[in-house]
Amino acid sequence: MDTRARSASARDSAEQAMPRMQDGPSPQHLLVTLLGDYWLRHDRHLSSAGLIDLLSEFGISTSSARAAMSRLLRRGVVEVRKVGRQTFYRLDDRAAERVREGGLRIAAFGLDHDWDGHWTVVAFSVPEDRRDSRHLLRSRLRWFGFAPLYDAVWVSASASAADAQTVLEELNIYTATVLRGTTDLTADRSPLAAWDLDAVAEVYASFIDETRPLLEEALAGRVTPRNALIARTRLMDTYRRFPGIDPGLPSGHMPAGWPRDQARSLFTQAYNALGPLAETRVKQIMALHDEDAAAQARFQSVDWPQATAVTVP
């Protein structure tokens, strides 16, 4: 494959990995996001009727919402409890822990850190009859900040060897090797070549252009509770994908003017500014079915002490 074809392929991968904000998440992911955003700190089951109404705010039909709950139950992501004819759900403990870990990862993403110059490399071979495992492996590696230098050789500057081993063990993949090493970033095919930085910068620019007016509206008090809930959830769904397409190297190792800091700051301010209004809407919906659940709903904020404020023109 020539250089232009490789660049186009990488650009397509970046754009697929980072859909525009209006695309929205799947019903299953959306439900997990909402549970994590507003009830992660509370160990309680929530009315299925209330959750269905909550999902309807995003255009999810009742049948699709019920199907999403059933699939999450089969996957062990949620637990169910029945009281008479009523059904209640909560996140499984392991799922809740994964949501917490994801939140910490998002909060830490983009903050400059001391990098020792080491890369983690995963080389694997997964047979064709385990195609689903191969797909899951790539998805999980990308979540940990890996990218494909070659088809079955993935690299990361931010993930540890333990992270990679955990993914491999979870998927029962043993035909793989995990390495740690250093290399010259100026080489023609250094690990940094696994990312198309021009494509990633374009996605950042699109995110910034869409988030700046949203923040402006929020700060001016021109966002309703319903719109705040929808916008905030979609904002997180968009931003959470950046760790999977950005190399995660400290700013000093990235091209001049790398837009990650600006995107991170805009996201932080908009996400937190929309929180109280979004929580109000969640309480309004859940109170119709479960007043205790409504009272315990609390929005999760994202706090970055080192984040630099962005002035909205």
Side-chain angles (χ1 to χ4, degrees):
M1 182 182 294
D2 64 28
T3 302
R4 283 183 296 179
R6 261 201 321 269
S7 177
S9 176
R11 189 181 307 276
D12 289 344
S13 296
E15 290 175 351
Q16 290 171 7
M18 182 59 109
R20 293 173 66 82
M21 284 168 55
Q22 61 264 32
D23 288 344
S26 71
Q28 289 183 66
H29 175 72
L30 177 57
L31 180 56
V32 173
T33 298
L34 292 170
L35 291 173
D37 271 353
Y38 301 99
W39 288 283
L40 188 61
R41 299 172 185 171
H42 299 285
D43 183 22
R44 64 168 293 118
H45 289 75
L46 306 172
S47 163
S48 63
L51 294 176
I52 288 171
D53 280 357
L54 199 56
L55 289 173
S56 72
E57 293 286 276
F58 298 85
I60 307 298
S61 67
T62 298
S63 59
S64 294
R66 292 189 186 281
M69 292 177 189
S70 296
R71 290 176 183 133
L72 289 173
L73 181 61
R74 287 197 298 270
R75 290 170 52 199
V77 177
V78 298
E79 298 174 354
V80 66
R81 180 169 64 88
K82 291 184 177 293
V83 179
R85 300 180 63 180
Q86 292 183 306
T87 305
F88 298 81
Y89 290 92
R90 67 180 287 271
L91 282 176
D92 172 80
D93 289 341
R94 288 182 301 175
E97 183 58 31
R98 181 161 289 185
V99 170
R100 289 188 188 94
E101 291 173 356
L104 292 174
R105 174 171 165 73
I106 291 170
F109 171 68
L111 292 179
D112 277 354
H113 55 278
D114 293 330
W115 183 51
D116 61 5
H118 282 77
W119 294 84
T120 301
V121 182
V122 181
F124 58 87
S125 177
V126 181
E128 186 64 21
D129 60 2
R130 294 195 62 191
R131 188 183 309 168
D132 290 346
S133 295
R134 186 167 56 204
H135 174 73
L136 286 172
L137 173 61
R138 289 169 173 165
S139 296
R140 290 286 286 148
L141 287 176
R142 194 174 292 281
W143 168 245
F144 275 99
F146 285 88
L149 185 60
Y150 303 102
D151 184 53
V153 179
W154 288 55
V155 295
S156 174
S158 57
S160 66
D163 292 331
Q165 290 288 3
T166 297
V167 173
L168 293 168
E169 290 171 6
E170 285 178 350
L171 299 176
N172 295 316
I173 294 175
Y174 303 105
T175 52
T177 300
V178 179
L179 306 169
R180 289 275 292 170
T182 61
T183 188
D184 181 2
L185 289 180
T186 64
D188 289 341
R189 193 62 180 168
S190 79
L192 202 55
W195 290 265
D196 184 334
L197 299 183
D198 290 338
V200 177
E202 288 178 10
V203 179
Y204 269 129
S206 177
F207 176 84
I208 290 167
D209 288 344
E210 292 172 346
T211 305
R212 181 180 286 111
L214 174 61
L215 175 59
E216 184 179 41
E217 292 291 303
L219 294 179
R222 294 195 293 264
V223 181
T224 66
R226 181 177 185 273
N227 289 339
L229 172 61
I230 295 171
R232 188 173 189 264
T233 304
R234 289 179 175 170
L235 188 65
M236 171 58 81
D237 187 62
T238 303
Y239 186 84
R240 72 177 181 84
R241 300 169 192 264
F242 276 123
I245 66 168
D246 186 299
L249 288 170
S251 299
H253 296 279
M254 299 303 294
W258 190 243
R260 180 175 55 207
D261 289 348
Q262 186 180 12
R264 183 191 66 214
S265 185
L266 280 168
F267 166 73
T268 305
Q269 293 180 82
Y271 189 71
N272 290 344
L274 293 168
L277 283 172
E279 179 186 301
T280 295
R281 184 56 179 162
V282 168
K283 289 178 180 293
Q284 289 172 346
I285 294 170
M286 290 302 295
L288 299 174
H289 306 276
D290 187 337
E291 291 186 357
D292 288 340
Q296 292 186 17
R298 296 288 186 277
F299 75 91
Q300 302 288 319
S301 63
V302 178
D303 297 312
W304 284 313
Q306 299 178 38
T308 301
V310 171
T311 301
V312 180

PDB file of all heavy atoms in Angstrom, residues 108 110-119 156-160 180 182 247-253 260 306:
ATOM      1  N   ALA A 108      -7.900  11.548  33.225  1.00  0.00           N
ATOM      2  CA  ALA A 108      -6.444  11.666  33.149  1.00  0.00           C
ATOM      3  C   ALA A 108      -5.947  11.906  31.730  1.00  0.00           C
ATOM      4  O   ALA A 108      -4.808  12.348  31.534  1.00  0.00           O
ATOM      5  CB  ALA A 108      -5.793  10.397  33.698  1.00  0.00           C
ATOM      6  N   GLY A 110      -4.787  13.266  28.380  1.00  0.00           N
ATOM      7  CA  GLY A 110      -4.338  14.563  27.884  1.00  0.00           C
ATOM      8  C   GLY A 110      -3.522  15.366  28.864  1.00  0.00           C
ATOM      9  O   GLY A 110      -2.908  16.360  28.475  1.00  0.00           O
ATOM     10  N   LEU A 111      -3.495  14.966  30.141  1.00  0.00           N
ATOM     11  CA  LEU A 111      -2.667  15.678  31.104  1.00  0.00           C
ATOM     12  C   LEU A 111      -1.217  15.247  30.905  1.00  0.00           C
ATOM     13  O   LEU A 111      -0.912  14.057  30.893  1.00  0.00           O
ATOM     14  CB  LEU A 111      -3.108  15.367  32.535  1.00  0.00           C
ATOM     15  CG  LEU A 111      -4.487  15.903  32.934  1.00  0.00           C
ATOM     16  CD1 LEU A 111      -4.802  15.489  34.370  1.00  0.00           C
ATOM     17  CD2 LEU A 111      -4.532  17.417  32.817  1.00  0.00           C
ATOM     18  N   ASP A 112      -0.326  16.199  30.720  1.00  0.00           N
ATOM     19  CA  ASP A 112       1.074  15.860  30.498  1.00  0.00           C
ATOM     20  C   ASP A 112       1.646  15.110  31.698  1.00  0.00           C
ATOM     21  O   ASP A 112       1.346  15.415  32.854  1.00  0.00           O
ATOM     22  CB  ASP A 112       1.890  17.133  30.245  1.00  0.00           C
ATOM     23  CG  ASP A 112       1.801  17.572  28.794  1.00  0.00           C
ATOM     24  OD1 ASP A 112       1.210  16.826  27.992  1.00  0.00           O
ATOM     25  OD2 ASP A 112       2.316  18.659  28.472  1.00  0.00           O
ATOM     26  N   HIS A 113       2.457  14.129  31.398  1.00  0.00           N
ATOM     27  CA  HIS A 113       3.050  13.314  32.436  1.00  0.00           C
ATOM     28  C   HIS A 113       4.499  13.030  32.060  1.00  0.00           C
ATOM     29  O   HIS A 113       4.936  13.308  30.950  1.00  0.00           O
ATOM     30  CB  HIS A 113       2.280  11.997  32.567  1.00  0.00           C
ATOM     31  CG  HIS A 113       2.183  11.243  31.269  1.00  0.00           C
ATOM     32  ND1 HIS A 113       1.238  11.544  30.307  1.00  0.00           N
ATOM     33  CD2 HIS A 113       2.932  10.228  30.764  1.00  0.00           C
ATOM     34  CE1 HIS A 113       1.399  10.739  29.272  1.00  0.00           C
ATOM     35  NE2 HIS A 113       2.418   9.941  29.509  1.00  0.00           N
ATOM     36  N   ASP A 114       5.232  12.493  33.014  1.00  0.00           N
ATOM     37  CA  ASP A 114       6.617  12.121  32.735  1.00  0.00           C
ATOM     38  C   ASP A 114       6.624  10.819  31.951  1.00  0.00           C
ATOM     39  O   ASP A 114       6.176   9.780  32.452  1.00  0.00           O
ATOM     40  CB  ASP A 114       7.398  11.954  34.044  1.00  0.00           C
ATOM     41  CG  ASP A 114       7.572  13.277  34.788  1.00  0.00           C
ATOM     42  OD1 ASP A 114       7.632  14.312  34.103  1.00  0.00           O
ATOM     43  OD2 ASP A 114       7.630  13.252  36.025  1.00  0.00           O
ATOM     44  N   TRP A 115       7.099  10.882  30.716  1.00  0.00           N
ATOM     45  CA  TRP A 115       7.159   9.692  29.874  1.00  0.00           C
ATOM     46  C   TRP A 115       8.592   9.199  29.818  1.00  0.00           C
ATOM     47  O   TRP A 115       9.520   9.971  29.575  1.00  0.00           O
ATOM     48  CB  TRP A 115       6.652  10.032  28.470  1.00  0.00           C
ATOM     49  CG  TRP A 115       6.607   8.858  27.538  1.00  0.00           C
ATOM     50  CD1 TRP A 115       6.032   7.656  27.765  1.00  0.00           C
ATOM     51  CD2 TRP A 115       7.171   8.793  26.225  1.00  0.00           C
ATOM     52  NE1 TRP A 115       6.179   6.839  26.675  1.00  0.00           N
ATOM     53  CE2 TRP A 115       6.869   7.512  25.706  1.00  0.00           C
ATOM     54  CE3 TRP A 115       7.872   9.701  25.416  1.00  0.00           C
ATOM     55  CZ2 TRP A 115       7.268   7.115  24.430  1.00  0.00           C
ATOM     56  CZ3 TRP A 115       8.256   9.305  24.153  1.00  0.00           C
ATOM     57  CH2 TRP A 115       7.959   8.026  23.671  1.00  0.00           C
ATOM     58  N   ASP A 116       8.775   7.905  30.063  1.00  0.00           N
ATOM     59  CA  ASP A 116      10.130   7.349  30.113  1.00  0.00           C
ATOM     60  C   ASP A 116      10.660   6.934  28.745  1.00  0.00           C
ATOM     61  O   ASP A 116      11.757   6.372  28.637  1.00  0.00           O
ATOM     62  CB  ASP A 116      10.185   6.150  31.065  1.00  0.00           C
ATOM     63  CG  ASP A 116       9.270   5.008  30.630  1.00  0.00           C
ATOM     64  OD1 ASP A 116       8.670   5.098  29.537  1.00  0.00           O
ATOM     65  OD2 ASP A 116       9.143   4.023  31.396  1.00  0.00           O
ATOM     66  N   GLY A 117       9.887   7.218  27.688  1.00  0.00           N
ATOM     67  CA  GLY A 117      10.343   6.884  26.349  1.00  0.00           C
ATOM     68  C   GLY A 117      10.076   5.459  25.923  1.00  0.00           C
ATOM     69  O   GLY A 117      10.427   5.064  24.806  1.00  0.00           O
ATOM     70  N   HIS A 118       9.442   4.677  26.781  1.00  0.00           N
ATOM     71  CA  HIS A 118       9.168   3.276  26.467  1.00  0.00           C
ATOM     72  C   HIS A 118       7.799   3.102  25.790  1.00  0.00           C
ATOM     73  O   HIS A 118       6.841   3.790  26.135  1.00  0.00           O
ATOM     74  CB  HIS A 118       9.207   2.415  27.733  1.00  0.00           C
ATOM     75  CG  HIS A 118      10.590   2.091  28.189  1.00  0.00           C
ATOM     76  ND1 HIS A 118      11.390   3.003  28.849  1.00  0.00           N
ATOM     77  CD2 HIS A 118      11.323   0.958  28.067  1.00  0.00           C
ATOM     78  CE1 HIS A 118      12.560   2.450  29.139  1.00  0.00           C
ATOM     79  NE2 HIS A 118      12.550   1.210  28.668  1.00  0.00           N
ATOM     80  N   TRP A 119       7.768   2.181  24.861  1.00  0.00           N
ATOM     81  CA  TRP A 119       6.539   1.788  24.187  1.00  0.00           C
ATOM     82  C   TRP A 119       6.173   0.367  24.614  1.00  0.00           C
ATOM     83  O   TRP A 119       7.046  -0.465  24.843  1.00  0.00           O
ATOM     84  CB  TRP A 119       6.716   1.812  22.673  1.00  0.00           C
ATOM     85  CG  TRP A 119       6.950   3.164  22.108  1.00  0.00           C
ATOM     86  CD1 TRP A 119       8.139   3.837  22.026  1.00  0.00           C
ATOM     87  CD2 TRP A 119       5.972   4.034  21.545  1.00  0.00           C
ATOM     88  NE1 TRP A 119       7.963   5.061  21.456  1.00  0.00           N
ATOM     89  CE2 TRP A 119       6.642   5.213  21.135  1.00  0.00           C
ATOM     90  CE3 TRP A 119       4.597   3.934  21.325  1.00  0.00           C
ATOM     91  CZ2 TRP A 119       5.990   6.281  20.540  1.00  0.00           C
ATOM     92  CZ3 TRP A 119       3.947   4.991  20.722  1.00  0.00           C
ATOM     93  CH2 TRP A 119       4.630   6.153  20.344  1.00  0.00           C
ATOM     94  N   SER A 156       1.651   1.261  22.018  1.00  0.00           N
ATOM     95  CA  SER A 156       1.094   2.310  22.875  1.00  0.00           C
ATOM     96  C   SER A 156       2.198   2.918  23.715  1.00  0.00           C
ATOM     97  O   SER A 156       3.083   2.211  24.207  1.00  0.00           O
ATOM     98  CB  SER A 156       0.009   1.738  23.794  1.00  0.00           C
ATOM     99  OG  SER A 156      -0.433   2.733  24.713  1.00  0.00           O
ATOM    100  N   ALA A 157       2.116   4.244  23.883  1.00  0.00           N
ATOM    101  CA  ALA A 157       3.057   4.940  24.761  1.00  0.00           C
ATOM    102  C   ALA A 157       2.484   5.117  26.156  1.00  0.00           C
ATOM    103  O   ALA A 157       3.218   5.423  27.101  1.00  0.00           O
ATOM    104  CB  ALA A 157       3.408   6.297  24.180  1.00  0.00           C
ATOM    105  N   SER A 158       1.180   4.919  26.309  1.00  0.00           N
ATOM    106  CA  SER A 158       0.527   5.195  27.594  1.00  0.00           C
ATOM    107  C   SER A 158       0.132   3.938  28.356  1.00  0.00           C
ATOM    108  O   SER A 158       0.015   3.968  29.576  1.00  0.00           O
ATOM    109  CB  SER A 158      -0.717   6.064  27.373  1.00  0.00           C
ATOM    110  OG  SER A 158      -1.609   5.437  26.470  1.00  0.00           O
ATOM    111  N   ALA A 159      -0.102   2.839  27.656  1.00  0.00           N
ATOM    112  CA  ALA A 159      -0.522   1.603  28.319  1.00  0.00           C
ATOM    113  C   ALA A 159       0.691   0.832  28.832  1.00  0.00           C
ATOM    114  O   ALA A 159       1.785   0.920  28.274  1.00  0.00           O
ATOM    115  CB  ALA A 159      -1.329   0.737  27.358  1.00  0.00           C
ATOM    116  N   SER A 160       0.472   0.075  29.887  1.00  0.00           N
ATOM    117  CA  SER A 160       1.531  -0.746  30.448  1.00  0.00           C
ATOM    118  C   SER A 160       1.452  -2.166  29.894  1.00  0.00           C
ATOM    119  O   SER A 160       0.452  -2.564  29.287  1.00  0.00           O
ATOM    120  CB  SER A 160       1.406  -0.791  31.976  1.00  0.00           C
ATOM    121  OG  SER A 160       0.218  -1.476  32.354  1.00  0.00           O
ATOM    122  N   ARG A 180       8.303  -4.409  25.832  1.00  0.00           N
ATOM    123  CA  ARG A 180       8.520  -3.016  26.200  1.00  0.00           C
ATOM    124  C   ARG A 180       9.862  -2.592  25.651  1.00  0.00           C
ATOM    125  O   ARG A 180      10.858  -3.319  25.750  1.00  0.00           O
ATOM    126  CB  ARG A 180       8.523  -2.851  27.728  1.00  0.00           C
ATOM    127  CG  ARG A 180       7.181  -3.025  28.388  1.00  0.00           C
ATOM    128  CD  ARG A 180       6.359  -1.748  28.380  1.00  0.00           C
ATOM    129  NE  ARG A 180       6.928  -0.715  29.230  1.00  0.00           N
ATOM    130  CZ  ARG A 180       6.514   0.550  29.254  1.00  0.00           C
ATOM    131  NH1 ARG A 180       5.544   0.942  28.438  1.00  0.00           N
ATOM    132  NH2 ARG A 180       7.063   1.436  30.050  1.00  0.00           N
ATOM    133  N   THR A 182      12.313   1.034  23.692  1.00  0.00           N
ATOM    134  CA  THR A 182      12.434   2.411  23.244  1.00  0.00           C
ATOM    135  C   THR A 182      12.799   2.426  21.770  1.00  0.00           C
ATOM    136  O   THR A 182      13.267   1.428  21.211  1.00  0.00           O
ATOM    137  CB  THR A 182      13.508   3.166  24.041  1.00  0.00           C
ATOM    138  OG1 THR A 182      14.776   2.512  23.835  1.00  0.00           O
ATOM    139  CG2 THR A 182      13.185   3.175  25.518  1.00  0.00           C
ATOM    140  N   PRO A 247      -2.252   9.429  20.252  1.00  0.00           N
ATOM    141  CA  PRO A 247      -1.129   8.649  20.789  1.00  0.00           C
ATOM    142  C   PRO A 247      -0.936   8.791  22.292  1.00  0.00           C
ATOM    143  O   PRO A 247      -0.342   7.916  22.926  1.00  0.00           O
ATOM    144  CB  PRO A 247       0.085   9.212  20.031  1.00  0.00           C
ATOM    145  CG  PRO A 247      -0.477   9.817  18.793  1.00  0.00           C
ATOM    146  CD  PRO A 247      -1.837  10.331  19.169  1.00  0.00           C
ATOM    147  N   GLY A 248      -1.420   9.898  22.860  1.00  0.00           N
ATOM    148  CA  GLY A 248      -1.315  10.069  24.306  1.00  0.00           C
ATOM    149  C   GLY A 248       0.053  10.491  24.793  1.00  0.00           C
ATOM    150  O   GLY A 248       0.320  10.480  25.999  1.00  0.00           O
ATOM    151  N   LEU A 249       0.928  10.879  23.884  1.00  0.00           N
ATOM    152  CA  LEU A 249       2.258  11.336  24.280  1.00  0.00           C
ATOM    153  C   LEU A 249       2.185  12.729  24.898  1.00  0.00           C
ATOM    154  O   LEU A 249       1.277  13.509  24.576  1.00  0.00           O
ATOM    155  CB  LEU A 249       3.182  11.392  23.063  1.00  0.00           C
ATOM    156  CG  LEU A 249       3.642  10.059  22.492  1.00  0.00           C
ATOM    157  CD1 LEU A 249       4.337  10.281  21.153  1.00  0.00           C
ATOM    158  CD2 LEU A 249       4.574   9.350  23.448  1.00  0.00           C
ATOM    159  N   PRO A 250       3.116  13.061  25.785  1.00  0.00           N
ATOM    160  CA  PRO A 250       3.155  14.438  26.315  1.00  0.00           C
ATOM    161  C   PRO A 250       3.227  15.448  25.175  1.00  0.00           C
ATOM    162  O   PRO A 250       3.732  15.156  24.079  1.00  0.00           O
ATOM    163  CB  PRO A 250       4.423  14.446  27.169  1.00  0.00           C
ATOM    164  CG  PRO A 250       4.620  13.018  27.557  1.00  0.00           C
ATOM    165  CD  PRO A 250       4.152  12.210  26.390  1.00  0.00           C
ATOM    166  N   SER A 251       2.742  16.658  25.432  1.00  0.00           N
ATOM    167  CA  SER A 251       2.653  17.679  24.387  1.00  0.00           C
ATOM    168  C   SER A 251       3.987  17.955  23.707  1.00  0.00           C
ATOM    169  O   SER A 251       4.031  18.246  22.509  1.00  0.00           O
ATOM    170  CB  SER A 251       2.098  18.980  24.979  1.00  0.00           C
ATOM    171  OG  SER A 251       0.798  18.778  25.491  1.00  0.00           O
ATOM    172  N   GLY A 252       5.089  17.848  24.457  1.00  0.00           N
ATOM    173  CA  GLY A 252       6.403  18.117  23.895  1.00  0.00           C
ATOM    174  C   GLY A 252       6.807  17.166  22.792  1.00  0.00           C
ATOM    175  O   GLY A 252       7.715  17.461  22.005  1.00  0.00           O
ATOM    176  N   HIS A 253       6.161  16.013  22.727  1.00  0.00           N
ATOM    177  CA  HIS A 253       6.468  15.022  21.693  1.00  0.00           C
ATOM    178  C   HIS A 253       5.461  15.060  20.548  1.00  0.00           C
ATOM    179  O   HIS A 253       5.562  14.256  19.616  1.00  0.00           O
ATOM    180  CB  HIS A 253       6.484  13.618  22.306  1.00  0.00           C
ATOM    181  CG  HIS A 253       7.556  13.409  23.332  1.00  0.00           C
ATOM    182  ND1 HIS A 253       8.866  13.131  22.994  1.00  0.00           N
ATOM    183  CD2 HIS A 253       7.517  13.464  24.686  1.00  0.00           C
ATOM    184  CE1 HIS A 253       9.578  13.009  24.108  1.00  0.00           C
ATOM    185  NE2 HIS A 253       8.788  13.202  25.135  1.00  0.00           N
ATOM    186  N   ARG A 260      -5.143  18.960  21.452  1.00  0.00           N
ATOM    187  CA  ARG A 260      -5.705  18.149  22.523  1.00  0.00           C
ATOM    188  C   ARG A 260      -6.037  18.972  23.763  1.00  0.00           C
ATOM    189  O   ARG A 260      -7.109  18.800  24.357  1.00  0.00           O
ATOM    190  CB  ARG A 260      -4.721  17.033  22.895  1.00  0.00           C
ATOM    191  CG  ARG A 260      -5.195  16.108  24.020  1.00  0.00           C
ATOM    192  CD  ARG A 260      -4.194  14.978  24.212  1.00  0.00           C
ATOM    193  NE  ARG A 260      -2.852  15.492  24.451  1.00  0.00           N
ATOM    194  CZ  ARG A 260      -1.738  14.818  24.143  1.00  0.00           C
ATOM    195  NH1 ARG A 260      -1.804  13.634  23.565  1.00  0.00           N
ATOM    196  NH2 ARG A 260      -0.548  15.339  24.405  1.00  0.00           N
ATOM    197  N   GLN A 306      -5.182  20.669  36.222  1.00  0.00           N
ATOM    198  CA  GLN A 306      -4.223  21.327  35.341  1.00  0.00           C
ATOM    199  C   GLN A 306      -4.883  21.866  34.079  1.00  0.00           C
ATOM    200  O   GLN A 306      -4.204  22.387  33.204  1.00  0.00           O
ATOM    201  CB  GLN A 306      -3.125  20.340  34.957  1.00  0.00           C
ATOM    202  CG  GLN A 306      -2.321  19.813  36.151  1.00  0.00           C
ATOM    203  CD  GLN A 306      -1.283  18.808  35.711  1.00  0.00           C
ATOM    204  OE1 GLN A 306      -0.667  18.942  34.676  1.00  0.00           O
ATOM    205  NE2 GLN A 306      -1.092  17.783  36.524  1.00  0.00           N
TER     206      GLN A 306
END
